[in-house]
Amino acid sequence: MKKVNWLVVIAGAIVGIAAVLLTVLGNPKNMGFCIACFLRDIAGACKLHGATVVQYVRPEIIGLVLGSCIMALITGEWRSKGGSSPATRFVLGAFVMIGALAFLGCPLRMVIRLGGGDLNALVGLIGFTIGIFIGVQFTKRGFSLKRNYTLAVTEGSVLPALMIGLLILVIAVPSLFNSSEKGPGTMHANMFIALGIALIVGALAQRSRLCMVGGIRDGMMFGDFKLLYGFVAIFLVVLIGNLALGSFKLGFSGQPVAHSDHVWNLLGMLLVGWGSVLLGGCPLRQLILAGEGNGDSAIAVLGMIAGAAFAHNFGLAGAAATAEAAGGVGTNGRIAVILGIAVVLVISLANMPKKEAAKAE
C-alpha cells in the first residue's frame, strides 16, 4: 500500500511540474494541462466548431493516450474490452464536457487553477465534491452500466490509432486543420516538447491510476484517499511553481481564462463530478483507460469531443472574464447544465437494480 501511495504522489508531483513547465513554455496561464480545454481545441482544429479562438491540435492529448498505451503494453496490462452501455457513456461524456466548459476547466485544471490562487476553482471544487457525493449514493445502491467484454484487438486500438493518425496528419499536412490566430488557441508550447512531456505523464498516470474522481469517491465509500494524494501533490507543486515564478494571484477577479459566475461554476462542476462517477473516472482517467484498450472509455472521450462541439456551436460554454466584461455562463449554457443534471439523474435511476433483484439479494 505504501508503494502504491508513493507512486501516486510521485506521479502527481511530476504532473504538477509538467503543468508549470508547459505554462512557462507557452500554454495559457493556469492551463498547463486541461483535458476539457484541450479536447475542445482539437475539436475546433478538426472543424467541428467555429470558435476561432480555441482551435489547435493539442499534442498533450495525443501524448496522454499514447503514453498510457505504451506503458500498458510494456507491463502486459493492455486489454481490448468494451460493450458496457456505449451509447449511455457517449451521452455522459458529452454532458461532462458541457459542465466542464461552463466552469472553464476539467478537474485537473481545477486543481491547477487552485495552485495559481484562483478562488473560483474553490467554488468549482465544492460543486465537484457534491456531484461525486450524489453519484456515490447511487453507486452504493447498485448503480451499474453493466459489465464489459473482451473484444477484438482492433476495438481497443481505435483511439490510440486515431491519435497516431492525427499526429501524422498535423505534422505532414498542417493545412488540413484550423489554427487560432488569436486567443488561447495561439498559446501553446512547442509541439514536440509538449508531446514528449505528455507521453511521460500518460505513462505515469497509467501506472499510478491517477484519478481525482476516484480519489474522492474511494474516500467517501471506503475511507481510502490514496488516489487523492496525487492531486494534493499536483496542487502543492503548482503552488510552489507559481510562487517561485511570481505568477501566484489569490482572489476571484483577474484570473486567466476564468469567470466568477459562482452558481454556474458550482453547478457545472457538480455535473462533471456526478457524470464522472457514473463513467468510472474523470476525463483524464478516461483518456488513460482508452489508451489501455478500453473501448468504453474511448466512447466517453468521443462523447466529450462531441460535447465540446455542441458547447461552442450553440453558445453553451462559459465566457472568460476580461477587462471589458464579467464573463460567465449565458442562458443557453445554463439551460444545458440543468438539462445535463436532469439527464444524469435519469441515467442514474434507469441503471439501478430492479426491486425484485434487490429483494432477492
Side-chain angles (χ1 to χ4, degrees), residues 85 88 91-92 138-139 141-146 274 278 341-355 357:
S85 306
T88 299
V91 171
L92 285 171
F138 285 97
T139 302
R141 289 162 176 78
F143 170 86
S144 173
L145 291 178
K146 309 302 181 287
W274 190 351
L278 303 189
I341 291 171
V343 168
V344 172
L345 173 61
V346 170
I347 290 172
S348 299
L349 292 171
N351 289 278
M352 294 293 289
K354 303 298 182 185
K355 290 183 178 180

Side-chain angles (χ1 to χ4, degrees), residues 243-292:
L243 289 170
L245 294 169
S247 54
F248 179 83
K249 180 181 179 182
L250 185 65
F252 289 100
S253 62
Q255 299 294 344
V257 196
H259 62 75
S260 297
D261 199 346
H262 298 316
V263 171
W264 298 99
N265 276 332
L266 187 146
L267 290 178
M269 288 308 288
L270 183 152
L271 176 56
V272 173
W274 190 351
S276 295
V277 169
L278 303 189
L279 283 171
C282 63
L284 171 63
R285 184 66 180 148
Q286 296 304 317
L287 283 177
I288 301 305
L289 288 170
E292 295 177 6

